[in-house]
Amino acid sequence: MNPGASLRATRRIPLHRLGGAIRDELWQCVDGGFEAAVREGLGDAITKAPDPQRAIDAAIRRLDDELQRAKRLYESRGDTGETFLPAG
C-alpha cells in the first residue's frame, strides 16, 4: 500500500480562495453593526500614539533575556573565555 497515493487523489483548493470563502461566510453571520465596531476599534488603535517608555522597557527586557541565554550557553559549554576573545 502506498500512503502517498491518497494524497495525490485529493482535490486541492488554493489558500486565497479558501480564506476568502471563510471570510465571506463570517461576514454573513454578523450584522452591519459589527463591521462598524471593528472599523472604529481599528481606527482608535491606529490613532493612539505609542508610549515610548513602554517600548524602551520592552527592548531592555528582550536584551536582558538575550544576555541570560548567552550566559547559560557560555556556562554550559565550559568555555574559559578564550573562545570569545580575538586571537592576538
Side-chain angles (χ1 to χ4, degrees):
M1 174 173 241
N2 184 358
S6 63
L7 290 176
R8 287 191 296 270
T10 60
R11 181 174 175 230
R12 297 179 189 259
I13 301 171
L15 183 59
H16 70 277
R17 288 186 60 200
L18 183 61
I22 291 171
R23 184 186 63 246
D24 293 344
E25 286 298 316
L26 288 174
W27 279 117
Q28 288 180 13
C29 295
V30 296
D31 63 347
F34 178 77
E35 183 177 356
V38 169
R39 288 180 192 274
E40 182 180 326
L42 289 175
D44 289 345
I46 291 170
T47 58
K48 289 182 184 176
D51 179 10
Q53 188 59 48
R54 287 183 68 184
I56 291 169
D57 293 343
I60 290 171
R61 281 192 303 275
R62 282 192 304 274
L63 289 171
D64 284 341
D65 290 345
E66 288 295 323
L67 177 60
Q68 292 305 316
R69 279 193 286 277
K71 284 181 180 179
R72 284 193 302 271
L73 177 61
Y74 177 80
E75 292 167 355
S76 70
R77 291 179 54 191
D79 289 326
T80 60
E82 289 80 21
T83 304
F84 297 103
L85 297 175

